[in-house]
Amino acid sequence: MKEIKINFNKANLDLKEIFAYADKVKEINEKMEKFEGEGSAFLGWKDLPNNINPKDVQRIEDCAKKLHNDGVEVLVVIGIGGSYLGVRAGIDFVFGEYPGSEKKMEIIYVGESISSTSLVEKLKYVENKKFAINVISKSGTTLEPAIAFRLFKKMLEDKIGKNNAKDYIFATTDASKGLLIKLAEKEGYERFVIPDDVGGRFSVLTPVGLFPFACVGLNIKKIISGAKSANDIFGSSDLVSNLAYQYAVARYILHTKKKYPVEMIVSYETCHRFFLEWWKQLFAESEGKNEKGLLPHSAIFTTDLHSLGQFIQEGSKVLFETILTIKKPKYDLKMFELPQEENNDNLNYLAEKSIHEINNIAFDATIDAHSLVGRVPNIHISIEDYSEESFGTIVMFFERAVAISGYLLRINPFNQPGVEVYKTNMFKTLKKPI
């Protein structure tokens, strides 16, 4: 497993406070291992890395290889929420925002909104490119991806013919029920299965994430390996050794005992932006029920220090921060010294320091400013590197943590009944047939 470290020194917490929950965490974890308790029918994510069939992995890799060999330039990933956030999180996490030749295929994400402007722009972007479609939906009825699929499917069929188009459309959906599986069977699309016992926000290690990952050139076996090793450790009932469960308890204490209503997750790496978006969905949908739960917020530092920093430092004390840092950057470079007469920017004092070193110094300065002067609790999580294994590791870390966190709040972490309210209102206005 890639190393993860966690530090509570600036969190206004004593480890004794955390370890006082050892028995409760053990009880919750043992129930999870027995598939007992609320939401137990959706605990399939828990052992997913250990149970992935190698034949399924090979089929995913073979399908991706076919697209590479056919010269497909763009994969259009159609999905919303957990059907695309984990995909984008993983690709940006490993490859960064501008990967160049590392990425074997470009991905664009559609169906994540109903913006007509966004849809038209994306349709225009692919109209003269060779593209394939991966539509991701358990039901096939979610409005945003359903609209996008109809539009992009028509463009592909008009472009290369309906019979040929079916070879470039991949449906990631339920095994046996829903509109999408029926359409895929009728049209002859290649199909990947989202397990019944894995909810959307936990689905990144299913074909939801694995197929697009393979298409862009990520090593999905390494992602699975990192997740499996992490699961072996973060599935332990021993709170003293389980950092994921320590994090869950710490945020529970800060929320319920020390009365912070907001958790801001922060990264010092811009390519983590969509990982933070994935994290927000994971915790918001899992905990935000029965008028309970922390409001998840996110920021990229040092960027957002120039917009949110003043509030964090001196504003109302409504939040604590969870900081993610990377030990080994993917790339680094050193500042250099100029002759004094050319030192017009006065940056010679940074000579021979690496940019990553400067970023870490900014982190040290900020965590001290926020925690010691601003009295904002800070939890620090350190990730080893940008590798596929690290991505699999941190995914399991947070998935394990959110389960414990939800059960500590005495809610079902695996449903999301509130999401349906706006849909009901919308479909009523649109006069959707029952």
Side-chain angles (χ1 to χ4, degrees), residues 398-410:
F398 282 123
E399 288 186 351
R400 281 284 181 173
V402 78
I404 295 296
S405 190
Y407 282 131
L408 285 170
L409 287 170
R410 299 181 183 275

Side-chain angles (χ1 to χ4, degrees), residues 376-393:
V376 177
N378 270 244
I379 298 170
H380 176 210
I381 299 172
S382 173
I383 308 167
E384 188 168 342
D385 56 28
Y386 284 104
S387 66
E388 288 99 331
E389 293 96 325
S390 282
F391 178 72
T393 298

Side-chain angles (χ1 to χ4, degrees), residues 126-256:
V126 300
E127 65 181 345
N128 294 319
K129 294 180 171 66
K130 188 165 187 177
F131 70 92
I133 296 171
N134 179 204
V135 55
I136 305 169
S137 175
K138 266 195 172 182
S139 65
T141 60
T142 305
L143 190 62
E144 295 90 339
I147 288 172
F149 183 45
R150 175 178 282 205
L151 295 169
F152 280 85
K153 175 174 173 285
K154 182 179 187 303
M155 174 178 274
L156 186 62
E157 290 177 347
D158 289 348
K159 189 180 178 73
I160 62 175
K162 186 169 184 177
N163 191 53
N164 291 326
K166 68 180 175 56
D167 295 329
Y168 294 94
I169 298 175
F170 300 82
T172 306
T173 188
D174 190 89
S176 59
K177 60 184 183 294
L179 287 180
L180 184 54
I181 186 64
K182 291 175 183 176
L183 177 63
E185 289 172 346
K186 178 184 175 183
E187 300 291 342
Y189 305 150
E190 185 76 45
R191 301 181 296 279
F192 302 114
V193 172
I194 307 171
D196 287 340
D197 55 1
V198 178
R201 59 188 175 277
F202 291 88
S203 66
V204 65
L205 298 177
T206 73
V208 167
L210 297 180
F211 177 60
F213 290 161
C215 286
V216 299
L218 293 183
N219 188 323
I220 60 175
K221 291 186 177 75
K222 288 184 177 180
I223 293 174
I224 296 166
S225 174
K228 183 179 182 302
S229 297
N231 201 39
D232 292 342
I233 294 171
F234 300 139
S236 167
S237 292
D238 179 17
L239 181 60
V240 175
S241 64
N242 191 326
L243 300 183
Y245 290 176
Q246 288 178 27
Y247 166 66
V249 171
R251 62 194 304 279
Y252 173 77
I253 294 170
L254 286 166
H255 178 40
T256 62

Side-chain angles (χ1 to χ4, degrees), residues 68 115-116 137 177 223 236 305 335 344 370 429:
H68 297 155
S115 164
S116 58
S137 175
K177 60 184 183 294
I223 293 174
S236 167
L305 286 174
M335 290 294 287
N344 299 315
H370 287 183
T429 303

